[in-house]
């Protein structure tokens, strides 16, 4: 608990995150290179979709991250609302643009994949529509946060919207199970064994780990500057800025 | 946890549970409309309005695909019932016999389905062609050899 309190103090967070971000960024880069090499050059072609299925190595990790980032953001926002921890609000609001980017990436790559395989760029089935709503939720949270003059009010209003929007997450995940959709069912995230060959699963999981580290690196980097701005009247920030 | 924190936790939880129930009921009410497609059995058993755009999904029955120029005719089944689909246009790459597809169009009076768009639905399985071949072979093998391939 002691470590927790220390880490949650803006000054310590700024210092520790400053050391961590370059390492996370470097690890992201290595995993992306390894994952893309294994996925694009080593993994075999698919028995039905041939080479086109390889977009899976971007599309699926991006879609997973769009949900994961949302859950982290809403979790942080809830902690910020209930325990009034400033840093939790900062983490939540720094996550929103990253999550929105992952969602947009999942939608665009999905569209590019849909055209050759399904025969259409877009359909209004439950999976695609609920993912589009997720993008609008992210944009709504970002807009609401920016709409307030005072930072604290923005964080609280956007935090409430983030918590309420969690309801969309199980809907996205189970949409392919609850309704007839054009999008196929889950391959990896289900209770039985993944229905993807090991030679394709390994690069997929490496890319997922890379995207996860990318999120960790970018959210800490964004939160650092947000903390610096939020604490700009405190003495430690002025000392830090004078050192530069 | 202080009493105010507990109270805030309660408020956040109550709001979330309330929203969950409201969304659940809404989705339940819209259940029919959220289905992206109907099955051939639903076409046979329920009275669906003619001259209304429908989507029907199923597997292409093997041996029923007849091509005449760009006009294609095939049967679509959900393994219980089948419906004949007529379509003219470019089929997606994944269209083949035994493949799951979704046809967008209208039912005609004689029971055939005039499609204006055909979309291919693929499954959640990804594997190299050799593995698919081995699985196919294992399926065709006599019962006593099957253990080896599992």
């Amino acid at each position: 608990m002691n470590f927790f309190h220390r880490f949650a103090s803006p000054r310590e967070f700024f210092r520790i995150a400053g050391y961590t971000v370059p390492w996370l960024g470097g690890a992201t880069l290595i995993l992306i290179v390894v994952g893309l090499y294994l996925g694009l050059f080593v993994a075999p072609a698919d028995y039905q979709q041939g080479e086109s299925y390889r977009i899976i190595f971007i599309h699926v990790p991006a879609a997973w991250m769009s949900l994961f980032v949302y859950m982290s953001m809403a979790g942080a926002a809830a902690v910020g609302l209930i325990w009034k921890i400033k840093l939790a609000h900062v983490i939540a609001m720094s996550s929103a643009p990253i999550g929105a980017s992952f969602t947009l990436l999942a939608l665009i790559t999905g569209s590019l994949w849909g055209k050759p395989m399904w025969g259409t760029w877009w359909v209004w089935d439950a999976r695609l529509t609920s993912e589009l709503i997720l993008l609008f939720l992210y944009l709504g949270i970002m807009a609401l946060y920016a709409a307030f003059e005072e930072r604290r009010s923005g964080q609280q209003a956007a935090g409430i919207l983030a918590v309420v929007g969690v309801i969309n997450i199980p809907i996205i995940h189970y949409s392919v199970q609850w309704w007839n959709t054009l999008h196929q069912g889950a391959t990896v995230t289900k209770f039985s064994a993944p229905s993807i060959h090991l030679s394709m699963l390994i690069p997929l999981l490496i890319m997922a780990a890379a995207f996860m580290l990318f999120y960790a690196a970018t959210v800490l980097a964004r939160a650092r500057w947000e903390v610096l701005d939020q604490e700009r009247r405190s003495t430690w920030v002025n000392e830090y800025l004078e050192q530069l | 946890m202080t009493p105010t924190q507990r109270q805030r936790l309660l408020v956040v939880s109550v709001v979330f549970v309330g929203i969950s129930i409201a969304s659940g009921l809404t989705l339940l009410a819209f259940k029919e409309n959220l289905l992206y497609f109907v099955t051939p059995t639903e076409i046979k058993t329920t009275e669906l309005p003619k001259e209304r755009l429908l989507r029907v999904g199923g597997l292409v029955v093997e041996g029923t695909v007849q091509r005449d120029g760009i006009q294609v005719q095939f049967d679509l089944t959900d393994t219980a019932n089948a419906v004949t689909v007529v379509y003219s246009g470019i089929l997606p790459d994944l269209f083949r016999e035994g493949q799951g597809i979704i046809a967008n169009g209208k039912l005609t009076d004689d029971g055939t389905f005039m499609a204006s768009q055909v979309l291919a639905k693929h499954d959640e399985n990804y594997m190299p062609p050799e593995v698919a071949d081995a699985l196919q072979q294992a399926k065709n093998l006599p019962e006593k050899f099957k253990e080896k391939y599992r």
Side-chain angles (χ1 to χ4, degrees), chain B residues 83-119:
Chain B
V83 63
T84 304
V85 178
V86 181
Y87 173 68
S88 54
I90 299 160
L91 290 164
D93 284 0
L94 276 183
F95 181 89
R96 57 196 72 166
E97 291 180 353
Q99 180 73 39
I101 68 127
I102 291 170
N104 199 344
K106 282 175 186 164
L107 263 182
T108 54
D109 292 329
D110 60 347
T112 60
F113 191 81
M114 290 296 291
S116 53
Q117 189 187 27
V118 169
L119 302 175

Side-chain angles (χ1 to χ4, degrees), chain A residues 135-156:
Chain A
L135 178 65
F136 293 149
L137 259 174
Y138 274 123
L139 298 179
I141 288 161
M142 286 157 64
L144 197 56
Y145 174 50
F148 284 83
E149 197 74 32
E150 206 188 336
R151 191 191 301 263
R152 254 172 61 97
S153 323
Q155 284 170 340
Q156 282 184 343

Side-chain angles (χ1 to χ4, degrees), chain A residues 44-49 81-84 117-118 120 123 167 180-185 187 195-197 200, chain B residues 1 5 8-9 20 23 27 34 36-37 94 99 102 119-129 131-132:
Chain A
D46 182 54
Y47 76 117
Q48 275 212 317
Q49 303 187 36
L81 288 169
I82 295 162
W83 284 277
K84 301 276 172 203
M117 287 305 134
W118 295 342
T120 179
V123 288
I167 193 63
N180 298 338
T181 50
L182 183 59
H183 196 286
Q184 72 286 359
T187 296
S195 43
I196 176 167
H197 195 258
M200 303 163 172
Chain B
M1 226 190 265
Q5 282 173 351
R8 284 198 293 256
L9 179 63
S20 308
S23 331
L27 291 177
L34 281 168
Y36 188 66
F37 56 86
L94 276 183
Q99 180 73 39
I102 291 170
L119 302 175
K121 188 168 157 59
H122 65 80
D123 59 18
E124 67 276 22
N125 302 312
Y126 303 90
M127 57 185 134
V131 176

